[in-house]
Amino acid sequence: MTTQAKVIALANQKGGVGKTTTTINLAASVAALGKRVLVVDSDPQGNASSGLGYDNNNGSQHLYHCYTEEVAAASAIVPVAEMKRLALLPTHVDLIGVEVELMNVTQRERYLERLLAPVLGDYDFVFIDCPPSLGLLTINALTAADAVIIPLQCEYFALEGLSQLVRTIRLVKNSYNKRLAIEGLLLTMFDGRNRLTHHVSTEVQTHFKDRVYKTVIPRNIRLSEAPSHGKPALLYDRKSTGALSYLQLGKEFLRNNSSGRAN
């Protein structure tokens, strides 16, 4: 029997917290560690797509066409250059239209779950990059997912937005998806010299305990540069602090999922 992929949504309604950076680099690290991985770019900005080398102006099929049932997901998935175990379901700015087009459709929150179902047997893990909002695209991702990773920038307002996100996750769990769980909270843009960074870290660990990843992601120039070259940090500069941190996160993620799947 084919094992189904574990589906992980990366969500935070606050922008600029390292959500897309984490999607790209955690997925690349897990693939480099031997697992078959699919990235689903569910953010109309398309940063995960371009950050993995996809040109979303090339006229090919993408996630919007899957939502409108013009094409099956398997036909829109593309390989990621130089990473044989990593694939991408890309997106385009047209995806913005889904929110309006599905407004009056029954079970509109289950579109992503349905369109991904036929390809889950081809992968060990699927990572969905959500938009920085709690709208229909994010609700679809949370309904399709087994678990959520919450990237959290170490700043004061991060804690304020976190409670709202947790309420939304609870609402989706109660209404649409009983299996949904918080996989982990990831501290990003970590600056050990900053007192506020340590305060936020302590607060998050007090409330979420062992669900906070031990690995933290530091501020790193090479990590910021990599997307403009269409590569994860592992390919852009594998010895950089950012690349090594995400590789460490990939190992921690796989240890936490060690009951999972064979290569």
Side-chain angles (χ1 to χ4, degrees), residues 190-209:
F190 194 94
D191 182 353
R193 301 164 299 178
N194 187 319
R195 187 180 298 174
L196 180 59
T197 293
H198 290 287
H199 172 70
V200 171
S201 175
T202 300
E203 284 286 305
V204 173
Q205 287 169 344
T206 298
H207 287 93
F208 291 92
K209 299 181 171 57

Side-chain angles (χ1 to χ4, degrees), residues 22 54 56 59 71 155 187 199 201 205 220 253:
T22 297
Y54 176 80
N56 63 12
V71 65
E155 61 171 36
L187 298 173
H199 172 70
S201 175
Q205 287 169 344
N220 180 246
F253 172 83

Side-chain angles (χ1 to χ4, degrees), residues 107-110 113 136 139-140 142-145 168-180:
Q107 292 205 310
R108 58 188 179 275
E109 72 283 344
R110 297 198 177 276
E113 179 183 39
L136 185 59
I139 299 300
N140 262 268
L142 295 176
T143 303
T168 300
I169 291 169
R170 192 177 298 125
L171 177 66
V172 172
K173 181 181 178 73
N174 292 337
S175 302
Y176 307 125
N177 181 5
K178 300 298 183 193
R179 71 186 183 281
L180 186 63

Side-chain angles (χ1 to χ4, degrees), residues 5-230:
K6 182 170 184 177
V7 181
I8 311 285
L10 287 98
N12 193 323
Q13 76 275 23
K14 192 176 186 305
V17 299
K19 177 178 55 59
T20 299
T21 299
T22 297
T23 303
I24 291 170
N25 290 289
L26 176 56
S29 296
V30 171
L33 291 165
K35 300 299 181 182
R36 300 163 302 159
V37 179
L38 173 66
V39 170
V40 177
D41 189 353
S42 190
D43 183 349
Q45 295 175 88
N47 292 334
S49 298
S50 60
L52 287 171
Y54 176 80
D55 176 7
N56 63 12
N57 294 310
N58 66 7
S60 61
Q61 308 282 7
H62 45 74
L63 185 57
Y64 175 74
H65 298 118
C66 300
Y67 264 101
T68 56
E69 301 178 359
E70 296 172 55
V71 65
S75 301
I77 290 170
V78 295
V80 173
E82 300 179 66
M83 298 211 71
K84 64 180 181 179
R85 293 187 184 89
L86 183 59
L88 168 70
L89 177 48
T91 200
H92 186 274
V93 70
D94 287 354
L95 191 65
I96 292 172
V98 164
E99 301 259 353
V100 175
E101 291 174 36
L102 297 185
M103 190 178 294
N104 297 314
V105 177
T106 56
Q107 292 205 310
R108 58 188 179 275
E109 72 283 344
R110 297 198 177 276
Y111 265 64
L112 187 59
E113 179 183 39
R114 288 199 298 264
L115 70 89
L116 288 178
V119 301
L120 294 185
D122 298 333
Y123 302 97
D124 298 304
F125 296 99
V126 174
F127 294 99
I128 306 173
D129 188 31
C130 298
S133 72
L134 297 177
L136 185 59
L137 290 170
T138 297
I139 299 300
N140 262 268
L142 295 176
T143 303
D146 298 297
V148 190
I149 289 176
I150 305 172
L152 204 65
Q153 188 177 352
C154 295
E155 61 171 36
Y156 175 74
F157 290 113
L159 296 172
E160 204 170 73
L162 180 58
S163 58
Q164 186 183 356
L165 177 59
V166 170
R167 280 196 299 272
T168 300
I169 291 169
R170 192 177 298 125
L171 177 66
V172 172
K173 181 181 178 73
N174 292 337
S175 302
Y176 307 125
N177 181 5
K178 300 298 183 193
R179 71 186 183 281
L180 186 63
I182 295 177
E183 177 85 8
L185 287 85
L186 175 68
L187 298 173
T188 64
M189 303 177 204
F190 194 94
D191 182 353
R193 301 164 299 178
N194 187 319
R195 187 180 298 174
L196 180 59
T197 293
H198 290 287
H199 172 70
V200 171
S201 175
T202 300
E203 284 286 305
V204 173
Q205 287 169 344
T206 298
H207 287 93
F208 291 92
K209 299 181 171 57
D210 58 354
R211 284 189 290 182
V212 183
Y213 286 108
K214 293 180 176 62
T215 305
V216 297
I217 308 300
R219 290 186 181 276
N220 180 246
I221 296 295
R222 305 299 271 173
L223 204 52
S224 303
E225 292 172 347
S228 65
H229 296 266

